[in-house]
Amino acid sequence: MEIFSWQLGLPATLACLVFGYLLGSIPFGLVLTRMAGLGDVRNIGSGNIGATNVLRTGNKKLAAATLLLDALKGTAAAVIASLWGVEAGLAAGLAAFLGHLYPAWLSFKGGKGVATYIGVLLGLAPVMVLVFGAIWLTVAKITRYSSLSALTATVITPVALYATGYGKVALLFAIMTVITWIKHRANIQRLLSGTESRIGEKG
């Protein structure tokens, strides 16, 4: 099937993977908090480098900047590599996502990947970001669970991509969705036990 075919040569594929990984593994949450004199974000909250944990420093602007930069590094990887074709963009986008989750310079302990997931989506299928956002907002309004909103949106996104003709992109996001759910297994356990924090709650 065309969805599983891969025409990009091995050297080019490897180059895109390395490029995407290096870009995706830039730990913006850690860099920004240190620059702001707030210490090591890994020593607070969940210990990860994503925007949600940066927010626990009490600096909303810093958390917003982290969210934006973590998304845009995925977008940049996908868009720049796509100049050499769709498959190059797919490879770089996946690698950027994995780089954020498992940065080598931080002992492979990174963020949970939702922002970078959205950033890669913006780079490869921009219209679908609106679908992701609409799903997130709808679930969030009904349940007030940020994690459930993101998890629901990641499940529907690959289906929507496939239904609208983005075959290979849909496959990429199906893989990224599985990884996202694995990274959110603690959140899923708390959702099932009823102990997950809702939007607006402290702690």
Side-chain angles (χ1 to χ4, degrees):
M1 292 177 63
E2 186 274 335
I3 190 174
F4 295 111
S5 65
W6 192 263
Q7 305 300 321
L8 191 65
L10 181 59
T13 298
L14 291 175
C16 290
L17 290 172
V18 171
F19 166 69
Y21 180 85
L22 292 175
L23 193 55
S25 63
I26 300 173
F28 285 114
L30 179 61
V31 172
L32 292 176
T33 50
R34 281 186 170 173
M35 288 177 63
L38 298 175
D40 192 331
V41 71
R42 295 173 295 176
N43 293 329
I44 65 172
S46 64
N48 74 50
I49 61 171
T52 299
N53 206 41
V54 172
L55 185 59
R56 294 188 174 102
T57 66
N59 192 318
K60 294 181 180 180
K61 291 183 179 179
L62 213 58
T66 300
L67 180 68
L68 179 63
L69 291 170
D70 280 346
L72 290 180
K73 66 187 181 183
T75 304
V79 170
I80 293 171
S82 290
L83 295 174
W84 287 271
V86 174
E87 291 178 348
L90 295 175
L94 174 60
F97 177 70
L98 294 175
H100 177 72
L101 298 179
Y102 308 106
W105 7 90
L106 300 181
S107 302
F108 301 100
K109 296 178 181 178
K112 292 185 177 180
V114 174
T116 309
Y117 182 109
I118 296 170
V120 175
L121 184 62
L122 179 63
L124 297 175
V127 175
M128 286 298 156
V129 173
L130 298 177
V131 175
F132 187 103
I135 296 166
W136 193 98
L137 289 170
T138 300
V139 178
K141 184 175 182 180
I142 295 170
T143 69
R144 291 177 50 231
Y145 285 123
S146 177
S147 57
L148 181 60
S149 302
L151 291 169
T152 303
T154 61
V155 168
I156 297 176
T157 294
V159 177
L161 285 165
Y162 185 77
T164 52
Y166 289 93
K168 289 184 177 180
V169 180
L171 179 59
L172 169 68
F173 278 90
I175 295 169
M176 289 169 59
T177 291
V178 171
I179 298 171
T180 300
W181 274 64
I182 292 172
K183 291 292 291 185
H184 281 77
R185 56 190 180 277
N187 300 84
I188 295 170
Q189 188 172 18
R190 289 194 296 269
L191 284 166
L192 293 174
S193 64
T195 58
E196 180 76 326
S197 296
R198 295 178 186 269
I199 298 170
E201 289 181 347
K202 295 183 179 180

